[in-house]
Amino acid sequence: MTKILQKAFILPLIVFLALAVVVYKVKTQAPIAHERLSFPIKSVDVITLKKLPFRNRAIAYGHVEPAIVLNAKTEVSGKISYIHPFLKKGASLPKNTIVLKIEPTAFEFSLDQSKAGLSSSQHSLTQLEVEEKSTRRLLEIAQENLRIGKQELARLQSILKRGLVARSSIDEEQQKVLQLSQQVADLQGRLDSYASRKSSTEAQIKQSKTQLAQSEDTLGRTEIRLPFDARIGTVAVEKGEYISTGNVLFEALGTESVEINAQLPVSQFYPLIKGFEDHPLNLKQVSNLQAEFLKIKLQTIVRLVGYEDFDAVWKGQLLRIGEAIDPQRDTISLVVAVNKPYDNVIPGVRPPLLKGMYAEVEFFTPVRDLLVIPRKALHQGRIYVANEDNKLEIRAVNVLQKRGDLLIIESLPEQAVQVGERIIISDVVPVIEGLPLKPIHVTEFEQQLAKNALSEELLQVKFSDKPVEMGEGVQP
């Protein structure tokens, strides 16, 4: 029994002494030195957020076509008596050049007949006028004789009452008066007929003049002149060939201007006209449609596709917008004109704009000040900002437009980004709000961004020996 009590007392004592030793060791042991940990400072490239002068741009493609194409046809029948020696495919001829003649002999005969008919009618009218003048004079004399005769008859009748004259004398005088009255009546009738005879002759003269004008016009149509400076296309006739009215003679292409029916994707068209809500267009009823399109003020540059060895560009002017959207390609037609496509041609350097060439048309909008950032600065609708304490902040933005590597943004009210803040354009890992940063301002990138926003390099093109003055119009 005593041994059992001793064991029951010794075991708790041992445990107590062990705990006491442990507590003593813990309390008397020196404290452990802890290493303070933090995120390393991250070097990042930054640019300053600014409103940059921005031009939106879009590219369309289409084939070059002459603004004026003439398919000359015959208006009279006959044998071709003359063809200009340079009326050949590909030749260039100036305005008003006589390029073709049809044998005029038959038409000259018709003209001579018309001239003779007119001359005869005019002679008849002159003769009638002379006769009318003579008849009017005779009528005046006859009327005077009748007046004298009536006076003499009255005198004799007064003498007869006094018995101083024979009755036969009265009868004789009355007979003379009747004859004079008949003469006056005849002359008056002849004089009255001249009005209708002259009207008939004048109508004949008018008809003769019309026939003469028709003959002259028909004769003039035997000579084919170019109505404008032109390059010759297909020539369908030969000298000596007999042709009928309506036959095609040749094709002439105007050289003053060409048109390009450029097809632009609808997705690129809307950004071009966005921002012109203050200039509504009335495309339904306008007297000058060109003036309406000038409100958009799109600037255009034309380049040839497949001619990379040629450093040649042309300025153009928007003329028309297509009436419908192509449902298969989802494109809209923009018709652009280029003036004087054959000027300043340099072989091997600057070709002319020929029919059928495939061209690239680049459209530029007027300059607007917008918030522009590079595409690589956007991360799933957010941008990274280096704040004043060089700490990472994450802001949400709304993308308004995209153009290549550029984005147009606006700040969301709840996380507004301010002009002048530093936008991070390099990768950040890890992306943690408050991450310490070492911003490096990349000035060269910022300058290049401003040039790209303005499309400055694209607009520094040359026409002959001087830069393009964008915005100058062309005559449609």
Side-chain angles (χ1 to χ4, degrees):
M1 185 66 181
T2 302
K3 290 182 178 181
I4 295 174
L5 290 175
Q6 287 178 349
K7 289 182 180 180
F9 175 75
I10 291 172
L11 287 175
L13 179 61
I14 293 173
V15 172
F16 175 79
L17 290 175
L19 288 175
V21 171
V22 171
V23 171
Y24 173 77
K25 290 288 186 181
V26 171
K27 288 186 176 182
T28 58
Q29 188 177 10
I32 299 175
H34 293 280
E35 183 179 356
R36 187 179 183 89
L37 298 177
S38 62
F39 288 110
I41 298 176
K42 179 72 174 179
S43 295
V44 292
D45 294 336
V46 298
I47 60 172
T48 302
L49 182 63
K50 299 176 182 177
K51 280 194 172 184
L52 299 177
F54 178 82
R55 278 190 178 97
N56 215 330
R57 51 186 283 259
I59 298 177
Y61 295 90
H63 289 91
V64 176
E65 293 292 338
I68 302 176
V69 179
L70 171 67
N71 289 309
K73 296 182 180 181
T74 54
E75 300 181 54
V76 295
S77 300
K79 184 174 69 173
I80 296 177
S81 60
Y82 168 80
I83 290 182
H84 195 283
F86 294 144
L87 186 66
K88 304 291 183 181
K89 188 173 184 178
S92 296
L93 293 172
K95 181 180 179 180
N96 290 326
T97 300
I98 298 176
V99 293
L100 190 144
K101 291 182 181 180
I102 297 173
E103 180 59 47
T105 304
F107 305 103
E108 289 174 346
F109 287 157
S110 177
L111 178 62
D112 290 341
Q113 290 177 349
S114 299
K115 287 181 177 179
L118 176 61
S119 178
S120 176
S121 298
Q122 289 174 334
H123 179 73
S124 298
L125 179 62
T126 301
Q127 185 176 357
L128 284 175
E129 289 174 345
V130 172
E131 290 180 2
E132 181 183 23
K133 184 177 180 181
S134 176
T135 302
R136 192 179 301 279
R137 181 57 183 162
L138 291 176
L139 176 61
E140 291 174 353
I141 294 173
Q143 288 174 338
E144 181 63 19
N145 289 336
L146 177 60
R147 184 185 66 80
I148 294 173
K150 288 181 177 180
Q151 288 179 350
E152 180 63 20
L153 178 60
R155 187 182 68 80
L156 291 176
Q157 287 175 342
S158 63
I159 294 174
L160 179 62
K161 292 178 181 180
R162 296 196 298 268
L164 299 177
V165 66
R167 183 68 187 181
S168 60
S169 297
I170 298 297
D171 293 341
E172 184 178 351
E173 192 62 31
Q174 285 180 336
Q175 186 65 30
K176 290 180 179 180
V177 169
L178 289 174
Q179 290 177 352
L180 289 173
S181 298
Q182 181 65 38
Q183 185 178 5
V184 168
D186 291 342
L187 290 172
Q188 186 63 54
R190 284 174 55 188
L191 188 63
D192 292 341
S193 69
Y194 281 114
S196 60
R197 292 170 64 187
K198 285 171 63 178
S199 296
S200 176
T201 305
E202 287 171 351
Q204 290 178 356
I205 291 174
K206 186 175 181 180
Q207 182 178 7
S208 297
K209 287 181 176 180
T210 301
Q211 291 177 346
L212 177 61
Q214 289 177 343
S215 298
E216 290 175 341
D217 180 69
T218 303
L219 181 61
R221 294 175 190 273
T222 61
E223 288 186 352
I224 311 299
R225 295 175 180 266
L226 286 178
F228 48 80
D229 295 341
R231 281 176 60 90
I232 305 303
T234 304
V235 179
V237 293
E238 296 290 343
K239 184 178 179 179
E241 180 180 352
Y242 183 88
I243 52 175
S244 302
T245 302
N247 281 17
V248 176
L249 299 173
F250 59 89
E251 179 187 51
L253 314 176
T255 60
E256 283 300 306
S257 65
V258 294
E259 293 182 359
I260 303 168
N261 190 349
Q263 298 297 318
L264 180 70
V266 175
S267 59
Q268 295 185 39
F269 176 68
Y270 290 145
L272 282 182
I273 59 176
K274 190 173 183 179
F276 294 96
E277 294 84 358
D278 295 335
H279 304 282
L281 302 180
N282 178 11
L283 303 183
K284 183 178 180 181
Q285 293 179 346
V286 289
S287 57
N288 188 354
L289 196 59
Q290 175 66 11
E292 289 294 303
F293 288 122
L294 288 177
K295 291 181 180 180
I296 301 179
K297 297 180 181 178
L298 289 181
Q299 302 164 353
T300 61
I301 291 177
V302 177
R303 298 182 180 88
L304 292 177
V305 177
Y307 293 79
E308 288 76 11
D309 295 337
F310 297 120
D311 184 19
V313 294
W314 293 261
K315 59 181 176 180
Q317 178 66 52
L318 176 65
L319 293 184
R320 302 183 297 277
I321 298 177
E323 79 289 352
I325 292 175
D326 188 328
Q328 296 181 346
R329 296 181 291 179
D330 195 30
T331 59
I332 188 168
S333 170
L334 300 181
V335 180
V336 173
V338 177
N339 255 4
K340 302 187 182 304
Y342 293 87
D343 285 6
N344 303 317
V345 173
I346 304 174
V349 178
R350 180 181 173 85
L353 283 177
L354 300 177
K355 177 182 178 182
M357 282 182 165
Y358 194 56
E360 170 190 284
V361 183
E362 194 156 11
F363 297 92
F364 297 88
T365 62
V367 177
R368 300 169 62 199
D369 291 335
L370 299 170
L371 288 177
V372 182
I373 63 171
R375 185 182 289 267
K376 63 182 180 179
L378 186 71
H379 308 275
Q380 297 180 346
R382 304 177 301 171
I383 61 174
Y384 301 154
V385 177
N387 64 15
E388 295 179 354
D389 298 327
N390 291 336
K391 299 291 181 66
L392 175 64
E393 292 186 6
I394 302 174
R395 311 281 183 85
V397 294
N398 183 30
V399 178
L400 299 178
Q401 294 182 38
K402 298 178 182 180
R403 196 200 79 190
D405 292 332
L406 303 182
L407 302 176
I408 308 302
I409 63 170
E410 68 174 355
S411 298
L412 296 180
E414 62 274 13
Q415 291 179 308
V417 59
Q418 302 297 328
V419 173
E421 290 193 291
R422 295 174 295 177
I423 306 301
I424 300 173
I425 61 172
S426 59
D427 292 334
V428 179
V429 179
V431 181
I432 300 175
E433 190 89 27
L435 182 71
L437 303 172
K438 181 183 177 182
I440 301 173
H441 197 93
V442 284
T443 306
E444 292 183 0
F445 184 89
E446 198 172 76
Q447 293 173 349
Q448 187 61 43
L449 180 67
K451 289 183 179 180
N452 292 343
L454 192 56
S455 300
E456 185 175 287
E457 295 178 354
L458 295 169
L459 290 173
Q460 295 304 315
V461 292
K462 289 188 176 181
F463 298 97
S464 67
D465 59 347
K466 60 181 181 178
V468 176
E469 297 177 2
M470 298 306 296
E472 288 187 3
V474 296
Q475 296 300 320

